[in-house]
Amino acid sequence: MRSLKVLDRCKGAQVYALHTTGGSGGDVGDKLYHQLQDHLSVNPVRPISMHNYQSSNVPLAYVNETLLPYGLPVSDLLEPQIESCLKFVDFIGTLADLYRRIENCPQFEKTGMYLEQCAIFKGLSDPKLFRRTLRAARQHTVDVHSKVVLAAWLRYERREDELRGTNSMNCCGRNIECPKATLVPGYNPEFIYDPCVCSKNPRGESVDDYSIEDVECSTSDEYRDMSFCIGDNEIRCIRYCIASLSTPFRTMLYGGFRESRKEKINFTQNGISIECMKAAELYSRIRRVDSFDPRIILELLTFSNRFCCDDLKSACDSYLASLVNDVENALLLIEYGLEENAYLLVAACLQVFLRELPNSMHSPNVMKYFCSPEAKERLALVGHASFLLYFFLSQIAMEEDMKANTTVMLLERLADCATESWQKQLAYHQLGVAMYERKEYKDAQSWFEEAYESGHIYSKVGIARTKCKRGHKYSAYKMINSLISEYKPVGWMHQERSLYCDGKEKMSDLEMATELDPTLCFPYKYRAVLLLETNKIGAAISEISKIISFKVSPDCLELRAWISIAMEDYERALRDVRALLTLEPNYMMFHGKMHCDHLVELLRPFVQQWSQADCWMQLYDRWSSVDDLGSLAVVHHMLANDPGKSLLWFRQSLLLLRLNCQKAAMRSLRLARNHSTSDHERLVYEGWILYDTGHCEEALAKAEESISIQRSFEAFFLKAYALADTSLDQESSAYVIQLLLDALRCPSDGLRKGQALNNLGSVYVDCEKLDLAADCYMNALNIKHTRAHQGLARVFHLKNQRKAAYDEMTKLIEKARNNASAYEKRSEYSDRDMAKSDLAMATQLDPLRTYPYRYRAAVGPEHEVSAFAVLMDDHKENEAIAELTRALAFKPDLQLLHLRAAFHDSMGDYASTVRDCEAALCLEPNHADTLELYNKVRELVKEQ
């Protein structure tokens, strides 16, 4: 019932080992801890006054005009964005249906099914699900075109284009993304993660050496029994060798034509050069083209098409494809490929363009091969126009600029390629969103209607929105009202209906939207602005802070900063604007009219100024109070003073991961790598990038390479992290302990040392070395790593000191600004009534935490299934299912689905059990408990 988190470097900082017995991994000496404490004594954490600072010489009217040049937000102008992804009324049923179809479809068709799964997962907050499915799609591809697109897409997901010193054609070392492996057709899913052959046979290197002169001399003229004449030149040939090139040549030389009786054949009028004919003659004997000049091979490609020489064409196509290694070559050769229908050559050129994304998106010379209907038809003639290709291109275009002409044209081509129902739904809906953003409401409504008619119910939101924009507000209201009546209501339906009504009805819809889906931002924003308009500024701040506490987004941070300026709390405003910039560095505030960087400069004179040393003290203070947004703002301030500090970029990435802002975290991690000043440091950051994108073994290799250059805290920490994720036996647990000890012996700041001590304590706990664990947690607390209270509480609990454990968690609640997890953990050490109270508070602070729902439904306070302890004790199965269903409506979660399936099974509702198991397996195909339940219930159904 409880998901196992092996080693959390940025959230709970807990390390768990599977085996709880075994030898010691070594002790942490007192000397090390004294050194850490000495570090803090030399660099004490001093609080700095956070009172507002404002120059007395600046009139308030001037301040308002400077900081709020566009006035205050207006509730009537607010509206939620229409989401561009696929959305479903019954998402769990959609997942279950998709899993069944994936399991039952033929192997060669799985790529298309996984692509559909990618489209569905694109709308979820966890990018790991999308990347995993993308890898599965690549694993089951057969044709070169799909391999090229999916390999490029996987590379794009890591945004390696932002890494300095890398080449788009660099190989990751595995077949799955290797630019050479993608050009080899065939189905080989079992070898997809194997090392590729790039290191053995670099691009352009021949397998064996030979010279043209040697081959020419090896064939005596006495075997050459005919000639082709071009002008005054005569090319001697072997008749049967030329005849073997193609059926037309064989017919000409051995058929009933007069050429079959001639020794000399005139080819002067055929437009073939002497060099090309000589190359064709040589190829007819040696069956290789790799020694020819590329210009000659291009001629041979034309020659092979004219005379239907399939083998020659294939050889030319393959060799020319091997020459394409940059955009310049690709732009030169793609025209030849398109004209001569050279499949591999065009594939190689497309591969370069796609691996250069998103930069190539801004090149007119590149995009002319994709955007127009004529360009798409040319690609189709060569076998390279597909829904997959335009799906990839259009997603990047929308991320770059939703309103751009390029985006619209790519989406139109996507619609042209759509054949299946889900493809049409996606393409038409996204075209509607793009047109809506461009304020072309008539066209937007037309596309939304097409999407709705194709089966996408959510597109009714777009139809209603465009109707309202065109003056038909009541019609929009009726449309969404009918949607709520026809289907089981979900949050976004009530949110949308609120746009078309007023007063109490509007507020009622917004409250219902929040109740059904507390992750929707718009209701909080609207209520906050409404409170601001009635001069209840403090309440407005509290309202928007509710969602920021568990879901950080740029628009909500912008609104809170805006309101903070209105209440003259400039320090809070500056903090939120700085945090916002770490999420979206180019964000424009005040309805897109002012860059955030400019607002930072405007706010700075009205707040207390900090030196870099002051910033470090503030960072320690906020880190110890578990104030992640405040820490993020301080790090941004420090980077403004020292943008080349890789350590700060890395620290920023950790904070963003803790806030579940994975895209921004990866960008910060790439910047840390780019600003690294040594090889060993660069390797560590590259290792984290690999780890966070699902490449544990490669991350481990990077850590080991870094340690071989120089022993460092971060390298040992990375190695411990990656090792714990790939191997969890008793021996590896001891090794993880030793690695963390090695990390602690290396220089680092107290923040990271506290993290390592916390993780080390967790490993000791799982190895039943409770006293050593307690020492680690106490020393972590001594250097203000407040989260160590949680680990220490765990130690007390295992020593049967439940009251001490409860008290430790209470200390964490009192100290931590973000304390939803602390309430959740304290419930483990409380009686049932107190546990329910703590979990209710945890849900109120962060409704995305799933454990409280599971506890209220079925799990006892010891984190174990105890005969469906809570509600099942009183035979309240329906209430338990309702509790889980409430959470699943806005957070599809593996554990929630598995537990609800178990409830359905206990009630004999096997159809619902199968549905929930299939939905869970769609999220995690290898979840053992769910597979066991699924197979058991299916057997029961068969028997019945």
Side-chain angles (χ1 to χ4, degrees):
M1 313 311 299
R2 178 186 183 186
S3 61
L4 183 68
K5 293 185 178 179
V6 177
L7 189 57
D8 194 340
R9 75 179 189 276
C10 52
K11 291 187 180 177
Q14 294 287 331
V15 186
Y16 300 103
L18 283 184
H19 296 274
T20 57
T21 60
S24 171
D27 194 358
V28 182
D30 291 337
K31 181 179 178 182
L32 174 61
Y33 294 138
H34 288 312
Q35 288 174 349
L36 296 177
Q37 292 167 5
D38 290 342
H39 173 81
L40 265 294
S41 65
V42 173
N43 301 287
V45 181
R46 303 193 308 270
I48 292 179
S49 174
M50 294 298 293
H51 295 299
N52 287 345
Y53 169 84
Q54 181 177 333
S55 171
S56 59
N57 297 324
V58 183
L60 184 60
Y62 173 77
V63 173
N64 289 335
E65 183 181 345
T66 302
L67 300 180
L68 294 173
Y70 306 103
L72 293 171
V74 179
S75 58
D76 290 341
L77 299 180
L78 294 176
E79 68 173 48
Q81 277 195 326
I82 302 174
E83 296 188 41
S84 61
C85 57
L86 292 175
K87 287 182 72 73
F88 303 92
V89 175
D90 179 15
F91 189 64
I92 303 303
T94 300
L95 291 178
D97 173 67
L98 181 61
Y99 177 78
R100 284 194 302 273
R101 289 188 289 122
I102 290 174
E103 288 298 298
N104 296 327
C105 78
Q107 289 291 320
F108 291 166
E109 296 177 13
K110 284 192 181 292
T111 293
M113 298 303 304
Y114 283 122
L115 187 63
E116 181 179 353
Q117 192 176 36
C118 283
I120 292 171
F121 285 168
K122 192 72 174 174
L124 299 182
S125 59
D126 186 359
K128 292 179 181 177
L129 288 173
F130 176 80
R131 287 196 294 263
R132 188 196 69 205
T133 307
L134 203 59
R135 286 194 293 269
R138 168 66 184 90
Q139 182 177 3
H140 289 87
T141 50
V142 180
D143 61 289
V144 167
H145 172 78
S146 297
K147 290 182 179 183
V148 163
V149 178
L150 288 167
W153 202 337
L154 284 167
R155 182 182 186 276
Y156 174 79
E157 285 298 308
R158 289 200 307 278
R159 292 308 303 264
E160 289 198 3
D161 59 286
E162 295 183 1
L163 299 181
R164 292 176 186 168
T166 60
N167 185 286
S168 64
M169 298 303 289
N170 285 353
C171 179
C172 69
R174 305 279 177 178
N175 285 324
I176 190 168
E177 290 182 42
C178 173
K180 281 186 173 181
T182 58
L183 297 178
V184 179
Y187 183 70
N188 51 356
E190 63 274 16
F191 302 120
I192 199 70
Y193 294 107
D194 288 354
C196 59
V197 298
C198 286
S199 59
K200 299 177 183 178
N201 184 27
R203 183 179 291 274
E205 184 178 296
S206 299
V207 177
D208 59 310
D209 296 325
Y210 73 101
S211 67
I212 296 178
E213 292 78 6
D214 291 341
V215 175
E216 288 180 338
C217 294
S218 68
T219 304
S220 175
D221 282 344
E222 64 184 80
Y223 295 107
R224 296 177 177 176
D225 52 356
M226 64 160 293
S227 302
F228 285 101
C229 298
I230 299 176
D232 296 331
N233 295 279
E234 184 176 323
I235 298 97
R236 298 292 294 170
C237 305
I238 301 174
R239 184 178 292 267
Y240 74 81
C241 289
I242 297 295
S244 68
L245 289 176
S246 68
T247 299
F249 272 122
R250 185 167 59 253
T251 303
M252 179 177 70
L253 297 176
Y254 286 106
F257 294 96
R258 61 184 179 183
E259 284 83 359
S260 63
R261 298 183 294 275
K262 286 185 175 182
E263 183 180 342
K264 294 183 179 182
I265 300 174
N266 191 344
F267 255 38
T268 303
Q269 302 303 317
N270 285 336
I272 300 169
S273 71
I274 298 167
E275 292 82 2
C276 179
M277 197 63 228
K278 285 181 177 180
E281 186 279 326
L282 182 57
Y283 173 81
S284 72
R285 292 184 283 118
I286 65 173
R287 299 289 165 164
R288 297 175 65 160
V289 299
D290 46 348
S291 60
F292 301 143
D293 185 274
R295 182 183 59 81
I296 298 299
I297 299 178
L298 287 170
E299 275 200 76
L300 281 174
L301 185 61
T302 304
F303 177 93
S304 65
N305 272 328
R306 181 176 298 180
F307 295 101
C308 305
C309 305
D310 293 341
D311 290 345
L312 174 59
K313 179 178 179 178
S314 178
C316 293
D317 191 11
S318 179
Y319 185 73
L320 288 170
S322 73
L323 301 179
V324 184
N325 53 18
D326 57 35
V327 172
E328 185 178 357
N329 283 343
L331 288 172
L332 179 66
L333 292 171
I334 191 170
E335 278 295 338
Y336 288 100
L338 292 169
E339 288 295 325
E340 301 299 340
N341 196 24
Y343 179 78
L344 284 180
L345 177 56
V346 175
C349 295
L350 289 182
Q351 178 164 246
V352 170
F353 297 155
L354 298 179
R355 292 173 76 96
E356 285 284 347
L357 288 168
N359 296 327
S360 55
M361 185 70 67
H362 305 289
S363 169
N365 290 331
V366 171
M367 296 315 295
K368 72 178 182 181
Y369 291 106
F370 299 105
C371 289
S372 68
E374 295 76 19
K376 179 245 175 188
E377 287 303 318
R378 290 186 77 193
L379 289 173
L381 290 173
V382 196
H384 285 292
S386 68
F387 183 87
L388 170 60
L389 172 67
Y390 284 102
F391 186 17
F392 179 31
L393 289 170
S394 60
Q395 300 314 295
I396 297 175
M398 287 192 293
E399 290 177 15
E400 293 290 301
D401 185 356
M402 178 68 81
K403 302 176 185 178
N405 291 334
T406 297
T407 303
V408 173
M409 288 189 287
L410 289 172
L411 286 170
E412 288 173 343
R413 303 294 78 73
L414 181 71
D416 293 341
C417 294
T419 54
E420 300 181 32
S421 175
W422 74 268
Q423 295 175 348
K424 293 177 181 178
Q425 292 175 32
L426 180 67
Y428 299 156
H429 180 74
Q430 290 184 338
L431 268 166
V433 173
M435 292 301 182
Y436 185 84
E437 291 294 317
R438 289 160 63 100
K439 298 185 175 11
E440 299 177 19
Y441 300 124
K442 183 177 180 180
D443 288 340
Q445 182 176 331
S446 176
W447 285 116
F448 283 131
E449 288 170 348
E450 290 275 1
Y452 177 72
E453 290 169 7
S454 298
H456 193 230
I457 305 302
Y458 177 71
S459 291
K460 258 199 172 182
V461 167
I463 301 172
R465 200 80 65 87
T466 52
K467 280 179 175 288
C468 183
K469 292 293 185 182
R470 300 175 71 194
H472 306 290
K473 185 176 180 178
Y474 183 61
S475 176
Y477 175 84
K478 288 197 299 181
M479 179 173 288
I480 301 301
N481 199 48
S482 67
L483 198 63
I484 294 174
S485 302
E486 187 175 352
Y487 298 97
K488 182 180 179 180
V490 289
W492 56 261
M493 294 180 184
H494 285 278
Q495 173 180 272
E496 191 64 23
R497 191 172 67 176
S498 73
L499 300 177
Y500 315 121
C501 52
D502 302 298
K504 291 183 179 179
E505 186 180 359
K506 186 184 194 78
M507 298 309 295
S508 175
D509 264 333
L510 290 172
E511 290 297 333
M512 180 59 70
T514 299
E515 182 179 336
L516 293 173
D517 185 354
T519 67
L520 294 172
C521 296
F522 174 74
Y524 299 93
K525 292 170 64 177
Y526 185 87
R527 288 189 292 261
V529 174
L530 201 63
L531 288 165
L532 177 65
E533 290 174 340
T534 56
N535 209 31
K536 299 175 181 177
I537 301 180
I541 289 284
S542 298
E543 180 64 28
I544 196 61
S545 295
K546 289 178 184 177
I547 190 167
I548 292 175
S549 67
F550 66 89
K551 183 182 178 182
V552 179
S553 62
D555 56 331
C556 290
L557 285 173
E558 175 194 12
L559 181 57
R560 191 166 71 176
W562 204 337
I563 299 172
S564 296
I565 294 173
M567 66 186 297
E568 301 177 37
D569 188 349
Y570 302 126
E571 286 191 354
R572 173 153 46 183
L574 183 57
R575 179 199 64 190
D576 283 345
V577 175
R578 287 192 181 280
L580 192 164
L581 280 166
T582 66
L583 300 175
E584 293 285 348
N586 298 314
Y587 194 83
M588 302 291 289
M589 288 193 61
F590 308 138
H591 305 300
K593 295 175 181 176
M594 181 186 289
H595 198 286
C596 282
D597 279 332
H598 182 55
L599 184 57
V600 167
E601 294 305 312
L602 293 177
L603 285 167
R604 285 183 64 192
F606 302 99
V607 300
Q608 185 170 340
Q609 303 302 303
W610 295 338
S611 67
Q612 199 76 339
D614 294 331
C615 287
W616 274 109
M617 296 171 197
Q618 289 292 329
L619 183 57
Y620 268 90
D621 186 44
R622 282 156 175 71
W623 190 278
S624 64
S625 63
V626 197
D627 177 9
D628 296 326
L629 271 178
S631 300
L632 203 56
V634 174
V635 172
H636 181 269
H637 187 173
M638 297 168 78
L639 281 168
N641 297 332
D642 189 3
K645 194 79 170 177
S646 60
L647 171 66
L648 294 175
W649 287 112
F650 181 55
R651 182 60 46 75
Q652 181 171 288
S653 75
L654 297 179
L655 288 164
L656 288 165
L657 277 176
R658 192 179 278 167
L659 291 166
N660 201 32
C661 302
Q662 297 192 38
K663 183 178 178 181
M666 291 303 294
R667 182 178 61 245
S668 295
L669 197 49
R670 291 190 292 270
L671 286 167
R673 183 264 184 197
N674 288 345
H675 288 97
S676 57
T677 56
S678 63
D679 287 341
H680 76 271
E681 185 183 17
R682 173 182 55 79
L683 288 164
V684 167
Y685 299 141
E686 288 177 353
W688 282 123
I689 291 170
L690 287 165
Y691 179 85
D692 287 332
T693 51
H695 301 277
C696 292
E697 292 183 7
E698 290 85 348
L700 187 59
K702 291 283 186 181
E704 291 171 345
E705 186 180 354
S706 177
I707 292 170
S708 70
I709 298 173
Q710 181 173 320
R711 297 166 63 89
S712 68
F713 174 91
E714 294 298 348
F716 281 116
F717 196 87
L718 169 60
K719 186 174 180 180
Y721 201 97
L723 180 66
D725 198 30
T726 55
S727 178
L728 286 172
D729 56 24
Q730 179 178 331
E731 182 181 352
S732 66
S733 295
Y735 190 28
V736 168
I737 290 173
Q738 186 57 51
L739 289 170
L740 289 172
L741 291 172
D742 288 338
L744 286 163
R745 294 187 183 100
C746 297
S748 185
D749 61 75
L751 302 177
R752 291 296 276 164
K753 295 257 182 178
Q755 201 118 37
L757 285 166
N758 201 43
N759 287 351
L760 181 59
S762 298
V763 182
Y764 278 141
V765 166
D766 288 323
C767 293
E768 297 184 352
K769 299 173 182 178
L770 300 184
D771 291 336
L772 288 173
D775 288 343
C776 288
Y777 291 130
M778 289 303 299
N779 281 280
L781 289 170
N782 287 340
I783 53 176
K784 295 190 176 294
H785 191 80
T786 306
R787 285 179 173 86
H789 282 297
Q790 180 177 319
L792 194 56
R794 187 180 173 207
V795 171
F796 286 138
H797 177 62
L798 292 172
K799 289 184 172 183
N800 295 318
Q801 300 175 21
R802 196 181 184 95
K803 177 65 167 60
Y806 182 89
D807 291 342
E808 282 301 317
M809 293 310 300
T810 301
K811 292 176 185 177
L812 180 56
I813 289 172
E814 292 170 350
K815 292 180 182 179
R817 181 180 290 270
N818 302 321
N819 52 19
S821 64
Y823 278 106
E824 179 183 298
K825 295 298 180 183
R826 190 173 72 171
S827 71
E828 300 178 30
Y829 316 123
S830 312
D831 57 39
R832 179 172 293 187
D833 290 338
M834 185 62 75
K836 287 183 177 180
S837 175
D838 277 346
L839 292 174
M841 179 60 73
T843 298
Q844 180 181 333
L845 294 172
D846 184 356
L848 290 173
R849 304 190 73 86
T850 60
Y851 173 71
Y853 302 99
R854 288 186 282 137
Y855 177 92
R856 287 188 288 265
V859 183
E862 299 300 327
H863 282 282
E864 296 177 357
V865 180
S866 50
F868 296 159
V870 180
L871 291 173
M872 287 294 284
D873 279 353
D874 302 322
H875 303 289
K876 298 180 179 179
E877 295 97 333
N878 290 327
E879 291 183 32
I881 289 173
E883 179 70 22
L884 296 169
T885 302
R886 183 164 72 95
L888 285 167
F890 59 87
K891 184 176 174 62
D893 177 79
L894 173 66
Q895 299 290 347
L896 293 176
L897 283 166
H898 174 74
L899 182 55
R900 192 171 74 169
F903 272 114
H904 286 308
D905 177 45
S906 71
M907 298 169 66
D909 186 353
Y910 298 137
S912 297
T913 304
V914 168
R915 179 204 60 203
D916 283 352
C917 284
E918 288 172 338
L921 292 170
C922 190
L923 296 173
E924 178 46 74
N926 299 317
H927 190 248
D929 291 341
T930 303
L931 280 170
E932 181 182 353
L933 177 60
Y934 182 52
N935 292 329
K936 183 196 82 170
V937 172
R938 287 206 303 175
E939 286 300 319
L940 288 173
V941 171
K942 287 180 181 178
E943 290 174 5
Q944 293 177 355

